[in-house]
Amino acid sequence: MTRLLYIASSPRHEHSYSRTLTQEFIDKWSLYHPEVSIALRDLVRDPVPYLDDTWITAKFTAPEQYTPELSNAIQLSDRLVDEFLAADRYIISVPMYNFTIPAVLKSYIDYIVRPRRTFIVENGSFKGLVTGKKLLFITARGSDFRPGSAFAPSDFQEPYLKTVFEFIGFTDIQFINANGLRTDLREQSLAEARSTIQDLATQW
Ligand SMILES: Cc1cc2nc3c(=O)[nH]c(=O)nc-3n(C[C@H](O)[C@H](O)[C@H](O)COP(=O)(O)O)c2cc1C
């Protein structure tokens, strides 16, 4: 059975373009994958707290050396990593906030990028452990960040997400970016995103 983990990060719920487009993708994609189980990690309804000193100490401590305090501090992160590793497909819906990702998603990433769980250091080099899996981002942007546009060099969202998920081992990463949703480009962008969704739903 294919296990899909859907991670949502827009606080706008039913008004959110990234959530709406992602739901449309999942509805279409599920038609071609009837044997799929879908888990939702909603980072707005169930936010992940910011890191603290104890958590960071736990992150860099071997589990056999955990004190009860460190063990307690890392528990949520362990659960999130377990849930993450149990999936083999991932869809992450992401609004563009201040040229990058929302804080709730950044917090989640801080919890799942973990030595010994999602990456290791081998012969002095980092090696991602999350391999052989597919990842799709569906993003919504108020302005136009398409290649060649004035804002394109300020897109710190797609390059960041690609870098951090490649770091933990992903090689199959795709983006559907709906640009200019607060400009005259909106209808065209939504139509293009939906056309890509239609095509990708049969192939992904
Ligand atoms: C706090 C905040 C910051 C934003 N920053 C940007 C930005 O840097 N660039 C941009 O193009 N749009 C920005 N926007 C607009 C959103 O990207 C746009 O409304 C998008 O549709 C949000 O995704 P959603 O519809 O899934 O909630 C921002 C919106 C908010 C609320």
Side-chain angles (χ1 to χ4, degrees):
M1 176 187 297
T2 306
R3 285 156 304 178
L4 172 73
L5 178 62
Y6 169 27
I7 300 163
S9 65
S10 170
R12 301 203 310 139
H13 298 286
E14 67 274 17
H15 301 120
S16 155
Y17 291 112
S18 59
R19 283 181 188 255
T20 302
L21 292 170
T22 301
Q23 196 54 56
E24 288 176 18
F25 178 87
I26 291 174
D27 291 346
K28 287 188 170 36
W29 179 78
S30 306
L31 296 176
Y32 301 94
H33 297 80
E35 292 294 301
V36 72
S37 84
I38 302 175
L40 169 65
R41 169 63 46 193
D42 190 324
L43 298 175
V44 175
R45 293 214 166 93
D46 202 2
V48 174
Y50 292 131
L51 306 179
D52 63 16
D53 193 1
T54 317
W55 189 94
I56 293 165
T57 305
K59 172 175 171 164
F60 294 109
T61 302
E64 6 358 314
Q65 287 160 14
Y66 282 166
T67 60
E69 189 192 19
L70 294 183
S71 180
N72 189 44
I74 208 79
Q75 227 174 59
L76 171 61
S77 173
D78 273 339
R79 278 210 310 277
L80 293 173
V81 172
D82 290 344
E83 177 187 67
F84 192 79
L85 294 177
D88 30 50
R89 307 272 178 119
Y90 305 83
I91 304 184
I92 309 185
S93 60
V94 196
M96 163 84 78
Y97 279 178
N98 298 312
F99 305 101
T100 184
I101 63 171
V104 288
L105 179 57
K106 178 59 169 56
S107 258
Y108 176 78
I109 291 170
D110 289 339
Y111 270 66
I112 61 152
V113 177
R114 287 265 312 276
R116 298 175 298 275
R117 303 287 328 263
T118 52
F119 75 90
I120 50 171
V121 184
E122 203 175 67
N123 303 325
S125 301
F126 293 109
K127 185 177 165 202
L129 298 177
V130 192
T131 56
K133 304 187 179 207
K134 289 181 176 221
L135 170 57
L136 170 64
F137 291 100
I138 299 187
T139 78
R141 292 105 176 268
S143 301
D144 183 7
F145 290 82
R146 289 176 301 176
S149 66
F151 271 128
S154 308
D155 180 355
F156 297 99
Q157 186 187 61
E158 178 170 330
Y160 166 68
L161 289 168
K162 200 164 170 294
T163 299
V164 73
F165 282 90
E166 281 178 352
F167 179 78
I168 60 170
F170 285 90
T171 51
D172 189 334
I173 303 178
Q174 299 196 56
F175 284 82
I176 299 176
N177 296 326
N179 281 285
L181 296 175
R182 293 194 177 270
T183 73
D184 292 346
L185 200 62
R186 181 176 56 232
E187 293 312 316
Q188 183 193 326
S189 276
L190 289 173
E192 283 172 6
R194 288 188 164 116
S195 163
T196 309
I197 283 169
Q198 181 69 49
D199 292 345
L200 199 61
T202 62
Q203 300 156 19
W204 192 68

